[in-house]
Amino acid sequence: MEQFSRTERLIGKENLEKIKNKNIIIFGLGGVGSYVAEALARCGVGKMTVVDKDTVDITNINRQIIATDKTVGMNKTDAMEERVLSINPNVKIDKYNLFYLPETADEINLSDYDFVVDCIDNVTAKLELICRAKKAGVPVISSMGTGNKLHPEMLEISDIGKTSVCPLARVMRRELKNRGIGKLPVVYSKEEPVKTDSSVPGSTSFVPPVAGYLITSYVINQLISEV
């Protein structure tokens, strides 16, 4: 595992082997989720599943690591698989080309995984996923909004109950409370969203990736701290 020797120096051989044997599922391969999948592969995670129904669009090129001129039109899951395997050919990667919603949720058994990463941008889907992960007893971390933001240094990991400013976090906090869920680690920003004339959120190449790396750091540190 020479390609991970620098990581091994930092976390030790035992923890590197632990990461290799973990199975992580990532929902959503956009500006946040695509960076999570790549960063996990570069950490030495041995198994991962990616879930997304979309294809790579030319408008994704400004922020998604799988989006290039050559991948436009590809299924995001296929583009992610290709990229992950180019980093570590030994990764076992599974794909679900589906929109995760209440009506499709039964297709995935969350109990098969060691960690759930929520990078979905649909509130209904996020709530369904988080509720099911909690019921299955599987750790989950959720990404809040990164659109219309310009300051990655304002991103942080917190509990959903301690979030502020972020409009998506506000909705999720209320809806999760209504479902009896008060605790959830999230990545969110206290930055006020930039107001634009479009209903489609603006984005940059430098905010969503930072959210993805924060999520990855949380997942890896949680996994290696397991007794």
Side-chain angles (χ1 to χ4, degrees), residues 27-93:
F27 290 82
L29 294 174
V32 179
S34 61
Y35 279 87
V36 173
E38 170 147 337
L40 288 172
R42 292 187 185 276
C43 284
V45 167
K47 302 175 187 176
M48 72 171 72
T49 296
V50 292
V51 185
D52 201 306
K53 179 66 173 177
D54 283 340
T55 57
V56 178
D57 187 82
I58 194 168
T59 61
N60 300 151
I61 289 176
N62 80 318
R63 70 195 181 283
Q64 298 180 13
I65 204 164
I66 51 174
T68 68
D69 187 63
K70 292 183 179 179
T71 62
V72 169
M74 286 182 66
N75 287 334
K76 286 186 177 181
T77 52
D78 292 338
M80 195 78 252
E81 177 185 41
E82 186 177 287
R83 190 169 177 93
V84 164
L85 293 178
S86 73
I87 295 165
N88 181 6
N90 296 317
V91 173
K92 184 182 184 300
I93 183 165

Side-chain angles (χ1 to χ4, degrees), residues 127-128 131 174-182:
L127 291 169
E128 184 72 19
C131 288
R174 181 188 68 236
E175 294 299 324
L176 288 170
K177 184 178 180 180
N178 290 340
R179 290 161 174 78
I181 296 174

Side-chain angles (χ1 to χ4, degrees), residues 129-149:
L129 177 59
I130 292 163
C131 288
R132 284 180 177 250
K134 291 284 189 179
K135 185 176 181 180
V138 182
V140 56
I141 184 170
S142 182
S143 174
M144 298 291 105
T146 60
N148 292 336
K149 305 290 176 69

